[in-house]
Short mmCIF file of all heavy atoms in Angstrom, two decimals:
data_model
loop_
_atom_site.label_atom_id
_atom_site.label_comp_id
_atom_site.label_asym_id
_atom_site.label_seq_id
_atom_site.Cartn_x
_atom_site.Cartn_y
_atom_site.Cartn_z
N MET A 1 64.56 14.53 -19.68
CA MET A 1 63.52 13.88 -20.45
C MET A 1 64.07 13.49 -21.83
O MET A 1 64.89 14.17 -22.40
CB MET A 1 62.32 14.80 -20.64
CG MET A 1 61.60 15.13 -19.34
SD MET A 1 60.72 13.72 -18.69
CE MET A 1 59.25 13.76 -19.72
N ILE A 2 63.57 12.38 -22.30
CA ILE A 2 64.01 11.92 -23.62
C ILE A 2 62.80 11.40 -24.37
O ILE A 2 61.90 10.80 -23.77
CB ILE A 2 65.10 10.83 -23.47
CG1 ILE A 2 65.62 10.42 -24.85
CG2 ILE A 2 64.59 9.62 -22.71
CD1 ILE A 2 66.86 9.56 -24.77
N VAL A 3 62.74 11.68 -25.63
CA VAL A 3 61.60 11.23 -26.43
C VAL A 3 62.06 10.10 -27.34
O VAL A 3 63.13 10.16 -27.94
CB VAL A 3 60.99 12.38 -27.26
CG1 VAL A 3 61.96 12.92 -28.29
CG2 VAL A 3 59.68 11.94 -27.91
N TYR A 4 61.25 9.04 -27.37
CA TYR A 4 61.54 7.94 -28.27
C TYR A 4 60.41 7.80 -29.27
O TYR A 4 59.24 7.98 -28.93
CB TYR A 4 61.66 6.63 -27.50
CG TYR A 4 62.96 6.44 -26.77
CD1 TYR A 4 62.98 5.99 -25.47
CD2 TYR A 4 64.17 6.68 -27.41
CE1 TYR A 4 64.17 5.81 -24.79
CE2 TYR A 4 65.36 6.51 -26.74
CZ TYR A 4 65.36 6.07 -25.44
OH TYR A 4 66.54 5.89 -24.78
N SER A 5 60.79 7.49 -30.49
CA SER A 5 59.79 7.12 -31.49
C SER A 5 59.52 5.64 -31.32
O SER A 5 60.43 4.82 -31.40
CB SER A 5 60.33 7.41 -32.90
OG SER A 5 60.46 8.79 -33.09
N LEU A 6 58.27 5.31 -31.07
CA LEU A 6 57.89 3.91 -30.83
C LEU A 6 56.94 3.45 -31.92
O LEU A 6 56.32 4.25 -32.62
CB LEU A 6 57.22 3.78 -29.46
CG LEU A 6 58.03 4.32 -28.27
CD1 LEU A 6 57.23 4.18 -26.99
CD2 LEU A 6 59.36 3.62 -28.14
N ARG A 7 56.83 2.13 -32.02
CA ARG A 7 55.94 1.57 -33.03
C ARG A 7 55.35 0.28 -32.48
O ARG A 7 56.05 -0.54 -31.89
CB ARG A 7 56.72 1.29 -34.32
CG ARG A 7 55.83 1.17 -35.55
CD ARG A 7 56.69 1.05 -36.79
NE ARG A 7 57.68 -0.01 -36.62
CZ ARG A 7 58.80 -0.10 -37.32
NH1 ARG A 7 59.09 0.81 -38.21
NH2 ARG A 7 59.62 -1.10 -37.12
N CYS A 8 54.05 0.13 -32.66
CA CYS A 8 53.40 -1.09 -32.19
C CYS A 8 53.47 -2.16 -33.28
O CYS A 8 53.90 -1.91 -34.39
CB CYS A 8 51.95 -0.81 -31.78
SG CYS A 8 50.80 -0.79 -33.17
N ALA A 9 53.02 -3.36 -32.93
CA ALA A 9 53.12 -4.49 -33.85
C ALA A 9 52.25 -4.29 -35.08
O ALA A 9 52.45 -4.93 -36.10
CB ALA A 9 52.74 -5.78 -33.13
N LYS A 10 51.27 -3.40 -34.98
CA LYS A 10 50.40 -3.15 -36.12
C LYS A 10 50.91 -2.01 -36.99
O LYS A 10 50.27 -1.63 -37.97
CB LYS A 10 48.97 -2.84 -35.64
CG LYS A 10 48.29 -4.04 -34.99
CD LYS A 10 46.84 -3.72 -34.67
CE LYS A 10 46.12 -4.95 -34.14
NZ LYS A 10 46.71 -5.46 -32.87
N GLY A 11 52.03 -1.44 -36.58
CA GLY A 11 52.66 -0.44 -37.43
C GLY A 11 52.31 1.00 -37.09
O GLY A 11 52.73 1.91 -37.79
N HIS A 12 51.57 1.22 -36.00
CA HIS A 12 51.28 2.60 -35.59
C HIS A 12 52.53 3.21 -34.99
O HIS A 12 53.14 2.62 -34.11
CB HIS A 12 50.14 2.64 -34.57
CG HIS A 12 48.87 2.03 -35.08
ND1 HIS A 12 48.13 1.13 -34.35
CD2 HIS A 12 48.24 2.19 -36.27
CE1 HIS A 12 47.07 0.76 -35.08
NE2 HIS A 12 47.11 1.39 -36.24
N ALA A 13 52.88 4.38 -35.44
CA ALA A 13 54.05 5.06 -34.91
C ALA A 13 53.60 6.19 -33.99
O ALA A 13 52.62 6.87 -34.27
CB ALA A 13 54.90 5.62 -36.04
N PHE A 14 54.31 6.36 -32.88
CA PHE A 14 53.99 7.44 -31.95
C PHE A 14 55.22 7.77 -31.13
O PHE A 14 56.16 6.99 -31.06
CB PHE A 14 52.82 7.05 -31.03
CG PHE A 14 53.03 5.79 -30.25
CD1 PHE A 14 53.43 5.85 -28.92
CD2 PHE A 14 52.83 4.55 -30.83
CE1 PHE A 14 53.64 4.69 -28.19
CE2 PHE A 14 53.04 3.37 -30.11
CZ PHE A 14 53.43 3.45 -28.80
N ASP A 15 55.20 8.95 -30.54
CA ASP A 15 56.31 9.40 -29.70
C ASP A 15 55.91 9.31 -28.24
O ASP A 15 54.77 9.55 -27.88
CB ASP A 15 56.68 10.84 -30.02
CG ASP A 15 57.31 10.97 -31.41
OD1 ASP A 15 57.81 9.96 -31.92
OD2 ASP A 15 57.30 12.08 -31.95
N GLU A 16 56.88 8.96 -27.43
CA GLU A 16 56.61 8.86 -25.99
C GLU A 16 57.79 9.47 -25.24
O GLU A 16 58.93 9.22 -25.58
CB GLU A 16 56.45 7.38 -25.62
CG GLU A 16 55.86 7.16 -24.25
CD GLU A 16 54.35 7.35 -24.23
OE1 GLU A 16 53.67 6.84 -25.12
OE2 GLU A 16 53.87 8.02 -23.31
N TRP A 17 57.46 10.27 -24.21
CA TRP A 17 58.51 10.87 -23.39
C TRP A 17 58.83 10.00 -22.18
O TRP A 17 57.93 9.44 -21.56
CB TRP A 17 58.06 12.25 -22.89
CG TRP A 17 58.12 13.30 -23.96
CD1 TRP A 17 57.11 13.67 -24.79
CD2 TRP A 17 59.25 14.09 -24.33
NE1 TRP A 17 57.55 14.65 -25.65
CE2 TRP A 17 58.85 14.93 -25.38
CE3 TRP A 17 60.57 14.17 -23.85
CZ2 TRP A 17 59.72 15.85 -25.98
CZ3 TRP A 17 61.43 15.08 -24.44
CH2 TRP A 17 61.00 15.91 -25.50
N PHE A 18 60.11 9.92 -21.87
CA PHE A 18 60.54 9.16 -20.70
C PHE A 18 61.52 10.01 -19.91
O PHE A 18 62.20 10.87 -20.46
CB PHE A 18 61.23 7.85 -21.12
CG PHE A 18 60.34 6.95 -21.91
CD1 PHE A 18 60.37 6.97 -23.29
CD2 PHE A 18 59.45 6.10 -21.27
CE1 PHE A 18 59.53 6.15 -24.04
CE2 PHE A 18 58.61 5.28 -22.01
CZ PHE A 18 58.65 5.30 -23.39
N ALA A 19 61.59 9.72 -18.62
CA ALA A 19 62.53 10.45 -17.77
C ALA A 19 63.96 10.13 -18.16
O ALA A 19 64.85 10.97 -18.06
CB ALA A 19 62.29 10.09 -16.30
N SER A 20 64.18 8.91 -18.65
CA SER A 20 65.51 8.50 -19.05
C SER A 20 65.39 7.24 -19.89
O SER A 20 64.31 6.66 -20.01
CB SER A 20 66.38 8.21 -17.82
OG SER A 20 65.86 7.09 -17.15
N GLY A 21 66.52 6.83 -20.47
CA GLY A 21 66.51 5.59 -21.22
C GLY A 21 66.20 4.40 -20.34
O GLY A 21 65.58 3.43 -20.77
N ASN A 22 66.65 4.49 -19.09
CA ASN A 22 66.36 3.40 -18.15
C ASN A 22 64.86 3.28 -17.89
O ASN A 22 64.35 2.18 -17.71
CB ASN A 22 67.11 3.63 -16.83
CG ASN A 22 68.59 3.37 -16.99
OD1 ASN A 22 69.02 2.70 -17.92
ND2 ASN A 22 69.38 3.94 -16.09
N GLU A 23 64.19 4.43 -17.85
CA GLU A 23 62.74 4.45 -17.64
C GLU A 23 62.06 3.69 -18.78
O GLU A 23 61.14 2.90 -18.56
CB GLU A 23 62.24 5.89 -17.59
CG GLU A 23 60.74 6.03 -17.51
CD GLU A 23 60.24 6.00 -16.08
OE1 GLU A 23 61.07 5.96 -15.16
OE2 GLU A 23 59.01 6.01 -15.90
N TYR A 24 62.52 3.93 -20.01
CA TYR A 24 61.95 3.21 -21.14
C TYR A 24 62.17 1.70 -20.99
O TYR A 24 61.24 0.91 -21.16
CB TYR A 24 62.59 3.69 -22.46
CG TYR A 24 62.30 2.73 -23.59
CD1 TYR A 24 61.11 2.79 -24.30
CD2 TYR A 24 63.22 1.71 -23.92
CE1 TYR A 24 60.83 1.88 -25.31
CE2 TYR A 24 62.94 0.80 -24.92
CZ TYR A 24 61.75 0.89 -25.61
OH TYR A 24 61.47 -0.02 -26.59
N ASP A 25 63.41 1.33 -20.65
CA ASP A 25 63.72 -0.10 -20.51
C ASP A 25 62.83 -0.75 -19.47
O ASP A 25 62.35 -1.87 -19.65
CB ASP A 25 65.20 -0.27 -20.11
CG ASP A 25 66.13 0.11 -21.25
OD1 ASP A 25 65.70 0.08 -22.41
OD2 ASP A 25 67.29 0.44 -20.96
N LYS A 26 62.61 -0.03 -18.36
CA LYS A 26 61.81 -0.58 -17.28
C LYS A 26 60.36 -0.75 -17.71
O LYS A 26 59.73 -1.79 -17.49
CB LYS A 26 61.90 0.36 -16.06
CG LYS A 26 61.47 -0.27 -14.76
CD LYS A 26 61.94 0.55 -13.55
CE LYS A 26 61.50 2.01 -13.64
NZ LYS A 26 61.98 2.80 -12.48
N MET A 27 59.81 0.28 -18.36
CA MET A 27 58.42 0.20 -18.79
C MET A 27 58.23 -0.85 -19.87
O MET A 27 57.23 -1.56 -19.91
CB MET A 27 57.95 1.57 -19.29
CG MET A 27 57.82 2.59 -18.17
SD MET A 27 57.16 4.17 -18.74
CE MET A 27 55.45 3.72 -19.09
N ALA A 28 59.22 -0.96 -20.76
CA ALA A 28 59.13 -1.96 -21.82
C ALA A 28 59.17 -3.36 -21.21
O ALA A 28 58.43 -4.26 -21.63
CB ALA A 28 60.27 -1.77 -22.82
N ALA A 29 60.01 -3.54 -20.21
CA ALA A 29 60.13 -4.85 -19.56
C ALA A 29 58.85 -5.21 -18.81
O ALA A 29 58.48 -6.39 -18.71
CB ALA A 29 61.32 -4.85 -18.61
N ASP A 30 58.17 -4.19 -18.27
CA ASP A 30 56.94 -4.43 -17.52
C ASP A 30 55.72 -4.52 -18.42
O ASP A 30 54.61 -4.76 -17.95
CB ASP A 30 56.71 -3.29 -16.52
CG ASP A 30 57.71 -3.33 -15.37
OD1 ASP A 30 58.40 -4.36 -15.25
OD2 ASP A 30 57.81 -2.35 -14.62
N GLY A 31 55.90 -4.28 -19.73
CA GLY A 31 54.76 -4.27 -20.63
C GLY A 31 53.85 -3.09 -20.37
O GLY A 31 52.64 -3.15 -20.61
N ALA A 32 54.43 -2.00 -19.83
CA ALA A 32 53.64 -0.83 -19.46
C ALA A 32 53.44 0.13 -20.63
O ALA A 32 52.76 1.13 -20.51
CB ALA A 32 54.30 -0.09 -18.31
N LEU A 33 54.05 -0.19 -21.75
CA LEU A 33 53.90 0.66 -22.92
C LEU A 33 52.77 0.12 -23.80
O LEU A 33 52.65 -1.08 -24.01
CB LEU A 33 55.20 0.68 -23.73
CG LEU A 33 56.42 1.21 -22.98
CD1 LEU A 33 57.68 0.97 -23.79
CD2 LEU A 33 56.26 2.68 -22.69
N SER A 34 51.94 1.01 -24.29
CA SER A 34 50.88 0.57 -25.17
C SER A 34 50.63 1.61 -26.25
O SER A 34 50.85 2.80 -26.06
CB SER A 34 49.59 0.32 -24.39
OG SER A 34 49.15 1.52 -23.79
N CYS A 35 50.16 1.12 -27.38
CA CYS A 35 49.88 1.99 -28.52
C CYS A 35 48.64 2.83 -28.23
O CYS A 35 47.61 2.30 -27.82
CB CYS A 35 49.66 1.13 -29.75
SG CYS A 35 49.10 2.07 -31.19
N PRO A 36 48.73 4.15 -28.42
CA PRO A 36 47.56 5.01 -28.16
C PRO A 36 46.43 4.78 -29.17
O PRO A 36 45.29 5.18 -28.92
CB PRO A 36 48.13 6.43 -28.29
CG PRO A 36 49.34 6.29 -29.14
CD PRO A 36 49.90 4.92 -28.86
N GLU A 37 46.74 4.14 -30.27
CA GLU A 37 45.72 3.94 -31.29
C GLU A 37 44.95 2.64 -31.11
O GLU A 37 43.74 2.58 -31.24
CB GLU A 37 46.35 3.96 -32.69
CG GLU A 37 46.72 5.36 -33.15
CD GLU A 37 46.96 5.42 -34.65
OE1 GLU A 37 46.13 4.90 -35.41
OE2 GLU A 37 48.00 5.98 -35.06
N CYS A 38 45.69 1.57 -30.81
CA CYS A 38 45.02 0.28 -30.75
C CYS A 38 45.23 -0.43 -29.41
O CYS A 38 44.65 -1.48 -29.16
CB CYS A 38 45.49 -0.61 -31.90
SG CYS A 38 47.22 -1.08 -31.79
N GLY A 39 46.08 0.15 -28.55
CA GLY A 39 46.27 -0.44 -27.23
C GLY A 39 47.21 -1.62 -27.22
O GLY A 39 47.38 -2.27 -26.19
N ASP A 40 47.83 -1.89 -28.34
CA ASP A 40 48.77 -3.00 -28.42
C ASP A 40 49.95 -2.75 -27.49
O ASP A 40 50.52 -1.67 -27.47
CB ASP A 40 49.27 -3.11 -29.88
CG ASP A 40 50.00 -4.41 -30.13
OD1 ASP A 40 50.40 -5.07 -29.16
OD2 ASP A 40 50.16 -4.76 -31.31
N THR A 41 50.28 -3.74 -26.68
CA THR A 41 51.41 -3.57 -25.76
C THR A 41 52.71 -4.11 -26.35
O THR A 41 53.75 -4.07 -25.71
CB THR A 41 51.14 -4.28 -24.42
OG1 THR A 41 50.81 -5.63 -24.67
CG2 THR A 41 50.01 -3.59 -23.68
N ASN A 42 52.62 -4.64 -27.56
CA ASN A 42 53.83 -5.11 -28.24
C ASN A 42 54.47 -3.93 -28.96
O ASN A 42 54.33 -3.76 -30.17
CB ASN A 42 53.47 -6.23 -29.22
CG ASN A 42 54.71 -6.94 -29.74
OD1 ASN A 42 55.83 -6.61 -29.37
ND2 ASN A 42 54.51 -7.91 -30.59
N VAL A 43 55.15 -3.10 -28.16
CA VAL A 43 55.70 -1.84 -28.66
C VAL A 43 57.22 -1.92 -28.70
O VAL A 43 57.84 -2.38 -27.75
CB VAL A 43 55.25 -0.68 -27.76
CG1 VAL A 43 55.98 0.60 -28.11
CG2 VAL A 43 53.75 -0.48 -27.88
N VAL A 44 57.78 -1.49 -29.79
CA VAL A 44 59.23 -1.49 -29.91
C VAL A 44 59.71 -0.08 -30.25
O VAL A 44 58.95 0.74 -30.77
CB VAL A 44 59.72 -2.47 -31.00
CG1 VAL A 44 59.39 -3.90 -30.61
CG2 VAL A 44 59.15 -2.12 -32.35
N LYS A 45 60.98 0.16 -29.96
CA LYS A 45 61.57 1.44 -30.29
C LYS A 45 61.82 1.50 -31.79
O LYS A 45 62.45 0.61 -32.36
CB LYS A 45 62.90 1.58 -29.53
CG LYS A 45 63.28 3.01 -29.22
CD LYS A 45 64.67 3.09 -28.65
CE LYS A 45 64.80 2.41 -27.30
NZ LYS A 45 66.16 2.54 -26.74
N ALA A 46 61.29 2.51 -32.42
CA ALA A 46 61.53 2.68 -33.84
C ALA A 46 62.88 3.35 -34.04
O ALA A 46 63.44 3.93 -33.12
CB ALA A 46 60.43 3.52 -34.46
N ILE A 47 63.38 3.24 -35.23
CA ILE A 47 64.64 3.92 -35.52
C ILE A 47 64.43 5.42 -35.41
O ILE A 47 63.49 5.96 -35.97
CB ILE A 47 65.13 3.54 -36.93
CG1 ILE A 47 65.46 2.05 -36.96
CG2 ILE A 47 66.34 4.38 -37.31
CD1 ILE A 47 65.76 1.55 -38.37
N MET A 48 65.32 6.05 -34.64
CA MET A 48 65.20 7.48 -34.43
C MET A 48 65.54 8.23 -35.72
O MET A 48 66.63 8.11 -36.25
CB MET A 48 66.16 7.93 -33.32
CG MET A 48 65.81 7.36 -31.96
SD MET A 48 64.51 8.26 -31.14
CE MET A 48 65.41 9.69 -30.55
N ALA A 49 64.58 8.98 -36.20
CA ALA A 49 64.85 9.81 -37.37
C ALA A 49 65.19 11.22 -36.89
O ALA A 49 64.52 11.75 -36.03
CB ALA A 49 63.62 9.85 -38.26
N PRO A 50 66.24 11.77 -37.43
CA PRO A 50 66.57 13.15 -37.04
C PRO A 50 65.47 14.10 -37.46
O PRO A 50 64.87 13.94 -38.51
CB PRO A 50 67.87 13.44 -37.79
CG PRO A 50 67.91 12.46 -38.91
CD PRO A 50 67.16 11.24 -38.42
N ARG A 51 65.20 15.05 -36.59
CA ARG A 51 64.14 16.01 -36.90
C ARG A 51 64.73 17.15 -37.70
O ARG A 51 65.51 17.93 -37.20
CB ARG A 51 63.51 16.51 -35.61
CG ARG A 51 62.85 15.37 -34.89
CD ARG A 51 62.01 15.85 -33.75
NE ARG A 51 61.28 14.72 -33.17
CZ ARG A 51 60.44 14.83 -32.15
NH1 ARG A 51 60.24 16.00 -31.63
NH2 ARG A 51 59.81 13.79 -31.69
N VAL A 52 64.34 17.21 -38.92
CA VAL A 52 64.87 18.23 -39.81
C VAL A 52 63.76 19.20 -40.16
O VAL A 52 62.68 18.80 -40.59
CB VAL A 52 65.42 17.58 -41.10
CG1 VAL A 52 65.97 18.66 -42.02
CG2 VAL A 52 66.49 16.56 -40.77
N SER A 53 64.03 20.45 -39.94
CA SER A 53 63.07 21.45 -40.35
C SER A 53 63.50 22.02 -41.69
O SER A 53 64.64 22.41 -41.86
CB SER A 53 62.98 22.56 -39.31
OG SER A 53 64.20 23.26 -39.23
N SER A 54 62.59 22.02 -42.63
CA SER A 54 62.94 22.49 -43.95
C SER A 54 62.78 24.01 -44.02
O SER A 54 61.84 24.56 -43.49
CB SER A 54 62.06 21.82 -45.00
OG SER A 54 60.71 22.08 -44.72
N GLY A 55 63.73 24.64 -44.65
CA GLY A 55 63.59 26.07 -44.86
C GLY A 55 64.47 26.90 -43.93
O GLY A 55 65.26 27.70 -44.39
N THR A 56 64.36 26.66 -42.64
CA THR A 56 65.10 27.49 -41.72
C THR A 56 66.55 27.02 -41.58
O THR A 56 67.39 27.75 -41.09
CB THR A 56 64.45 27.46 -40.33
OG1 THR A 56 64.51 26.13 -39.83
CG2 THR A 56 63.01 27.91 -40.41
N GLY A 57 66.81 25.80 -42.00
CA GLY A 57 68.17 25.27 -41.90
C GLY A 57 68.51 24.86 -40.49
O GLY A 57 69.65 24.57 -40.18
N GLY A 58 67.53 24.84 -39.62
CA GLY A 58 67.82 24.46 -38.24
C GLY A 58 67.53 23.00 -38.00
O GLY A 58 66.39 22.57 -38.08
N GLU A 59 68.54 22.27 -37.72
CA GLU A 59 68.36 20.87 -37.38
C GLU A 59 68.49 20.71 -35.87
O GLU A 59 69.38 21.30 -35.27
CB GLU A 59 69.39 19.98 -38.06
CG GLU A 59 69.19 19.89 -39.57
CD GLU A 59 70.16 18.88 -40.17
OE1 GLU A 59 70.71 18.07 -39.43
OE2 GLU A 59 70.36 18.93 -41.39
N VAL A 60 67.65 19.93 -35.30
CA VAL A 60 67.72 19.68 -33.86
C VAL A 60 68.30 18.30 -33.64
O VAL A 60 67.69 17.30 -33.98
CB VAL A 60 66.33 19.78 -33.22
CG1 VAL A 60 66.42 19.49 -31.72
CG2 VAL A 60 65.72 21.16 -33.46
N ALA A 61 69.48 18.28 -33.11
CA ALA A 61 70.12 17.00 -32.83
C ALA A 61 69.98 16.66 -31.36
O ALA A 61 70.13 17.53 -30.51
CB ALA A 61 71.59 17.04 -33.22
N ALA A 62 69.69 15.44 -31.09
CA ALA A 62 69.53 15.02 -29.70
C ALA A 62 70.89 15.02 -29.02
O ALA A 62 71.89 14.59 -29.58
CB ALA A 62 68.92 13.64 -29.64
N GLU A 63 70.91 15.53 -27.80
CA GLU A 63 72.14 15.50 -27.03
C GLU A 63 72.43 14.06 -26.61
O GLU A 63 71.56 13.38 -26.07
CB GLU A 63 71.98 16.35 -25.76
CG GLU A 63 72.00 17.84 -26.02
CD GLU A 63 73.42 18.36 -26.19
OE1 GLU A 63 74.32 17.86 -25.50
OE2 GLU A 63 73.62 19.24 -27.03
N PRO A 64 73.63 13.61 -26.89
CA PRO A 64 73.96 12.26 -26.41
C PRO A 64 74.06 12.27 -24.89
O PRO A 64 74.55 13.22 -24.31
CB PRO A 64 75.32 11.98 -27.04
CG PRO A 64 75.90 13.33 -27.32
CD PRO A 64 74.73 14.26 -27.58
N SER A 65 73.59 11.24 -24.32
CA SER A 65 73.68 11.15 -22.86
C SER A 65 74.45 9.91 -22.49
O SER A 65 74.43 8.91 -23.20
CB SER A 65 72.29 11.09 -22.24
OG SER A 65 71.62 9.93 -22.65
N CYS A 66 75.15 10.00 -21.40
CA CYS A 66 75.99 8.89 -20.99
C CYS A 66 75.67 8.52 -19.56
O CYS A 66 75.76 9.34 -18.66
CB CYS A 66 77.46 9.29 -21.10
SG CYS A 66 78.56 8.00 -20.53
N GLY A 67 75.25 7.30 -19.36
CA GLY A 67 74.93 6.89 -18.01
C GLY A 67 75.82 5.78 -17.52
O GLY A 67 75.60 5.20 -16.47
N SER A 68 76.83 5.44 -18.32
CA SER A 68 77.61 4.25 -17.98
C SER A 68 79.10 4.51 -17.84
O SER A 68 79.86 3.58 -17.65
CB SER A 68 77.37 3.17 -19.04
OG SER A 68 77.70 3.66 -20.31
N CYS A 69 79.51 5.75 -17.97
CA CYS A 69 80.95 6.00 -17.87
C CYS A 69 81.38 6.01 -16.41
O CYS A 69 80.88 6.77 -15.60
CB CYS A 69 81.31 7.34 -18.50
SG CYS A 69 81.62 7.21 -20.26
N ALA A 70 82.30 5.15 -16.08
CA ALA A 70 82.80 5.10 -14.72
C ALA A 70 83.97 6.06 -14.54
O ALA A 70 84.23 6.55 -13.45
CB ALA A 70 83.23 3.69 -14.36
N GLN A 71 84.67 6.32 -15.62
CA GLN A 71 85.87 7.14 -15.52
C GLN A 71 85.56 8.57 -15.91
O GLN A 71 85.31 8.88 -17.08
CB GLN A 71 86.97 6.59 -16.43
CG GLN A 71 87.64 5.33 -15.90
CD GLN A 71 88.76 4.90 -16.81
OE1 GLN A 71 88.52 4.45 -17.91
NE2 GLN A 71 89.98 5.04 -16.36
N GLU A 72 85.61 9.42 -14.95
CA GLU A 72 85.40 10.83 -15.23
C GLU A 72 86.56 11.37 -16.04
O GLU A 72 87.71 11.07 -15.75
CB GLU A 72 85.26 11.61 -13.91
CG GLU A 72 84.50 12.91 -14.07
CD GLU A 72 84.25 13.57 -12.74
OE1 GLU A 72 84.03 12.85 -11.76
OE2 GLU A 72 84.27 14.80 -12.69
N GLY A 73 86.25 12.13 -17.06
CA GLY A 73 87.32 12.68 -17.89
C GLY A 73 87.61 11.84 -19.11
O GLY A 73 88.15 12.30 -20.08
N ALA A 74 87.22 10.56 -19.06
CA ALA A 74 87.45 9.68 -20.20
C ALA A 74 86.22 9.55 -21.07
O ALA A 74 86.25 8.88 -22.09
CB ALA A 74 87.90 8.30 -19.71
N CYS A 75 85.15 10.16 -20.65
CA CYS A 75 83.90 10.04 -21.38
C CYS A 75 83.95 10.88 -22.65
O CYS A 75 84.23 12.06 -22.60
CB CYS A 75 82.73 10.49 -20.51
SG CYS A 75 81.15 10.40 -21.37
N PRO A 76 83.69 10.26 -23.79
CA PRO A 76 83.73 11.02 -25.05
C PRO A 76 82.62 12.06 -25.12
O PRO A 76 82.72 13.00 -25.89
CB PRO A 76 83.54 9.95 -26.12
CG PRO A 76 82.90 8.81 -25.42
CD PRO A 76 83.38 8.86 -24.01
N TRP A 77 81.55 11.88 -24.34
CA TRP A 77 80.43 12.85 -24.39
C TRP A 77 80.69 14.05 -23.49
O TRP A 77 79.98 15.02 -23.54
CB TRP A 77 79.13 12.17 -23.97
CG TRP A 77 78.79 10.97 -24.78
CD1 TRP A 77 78.56 9.72 -24.31
CD2 TRP A 77 78.64 10.89 -26.20
NE1 TRP A 77 78.28 8.87 -25.36
CE2 TRP A 77 78.33 9.57 -26.52
CE3 TRP A 77 78.76 11.83 -27.24
CZ2 TRP A 77 78.12 9.13 -27.83
CZ3 TRP A 77 78.56 11.40 -28.54
CH2 TRP A 77 78.25 10.06 -28.82
N ALA A 78 81.68 13.93 -22.60
CA ALA A 78 81.88 14.98 -21.60
C ALA A 78 82.72 16.12 -22.13
O ALA A 78 82.83 17.15 -21.51
CB ALA A 78 82.54 14.39 -20.35
N ALA A 79 83.34 15.90 -23.28
CA ALA A 79 84.24 16.92 -23.82
C ALA A 79 83.48 18.20 -24.19
O ALA A 79 82.35 18.10 -24.62
CB ALA A 79 84.97 16.38 -25.05
ZN1 ZN B 1 48.78 0.34 -32.68
#
């Protein structure tokens, strides 16, 4: 599962979970994404802001995922 920060054309920001990045692409292409506040289907991916928790010093970084590497062992994410 992957969470994307999305934003509608009216500026409402919200998070949506997807099974994968491809799932997001497919839903976006089908116009299946809509703003929970106003129902606008003109939704775009907002810039991902890192989630920083203040005080505990614990930052949660998203794991990079690779779906396009054809060469096993050459993937920079596999190290
Ligand atoms: Zn909206």
Side-chain angles (χ1 to χ4, degrees):
M1 294 290 281
I2 184 169
V3 64
Y4 282 134
S5 293
L6 306 178
R7 200 174 51 201
C8 82
K10 293 186 175 62
H12 302 133
F14 56 100
D15 291 339
E16 194 78 46
W17 284 92
F18 299 96
S20 66
N22 287 340
E23 174 88 4
Y24 165 83
D25 291 337
K26 197 164 54 181
M27 290 184 71
D30 290 347
L33 300 170
S34 62
C35 173
E37 285 196 48
C38 66
D40 193 343
T41 54
N42 192 0
V43 171
V44 295
K45 208 188 295 182
I47 295 171
M48 294 279 282
R51 296 190 175 181
V52 180
S53 65
S54 58
T56 63
E59 290 186 17
V60 179
E63 286 280 323
S65 63
C66 177
S68 57
C69 273
Q71 285 183 290
E72 203 174 325
C75 178
W77 304 124

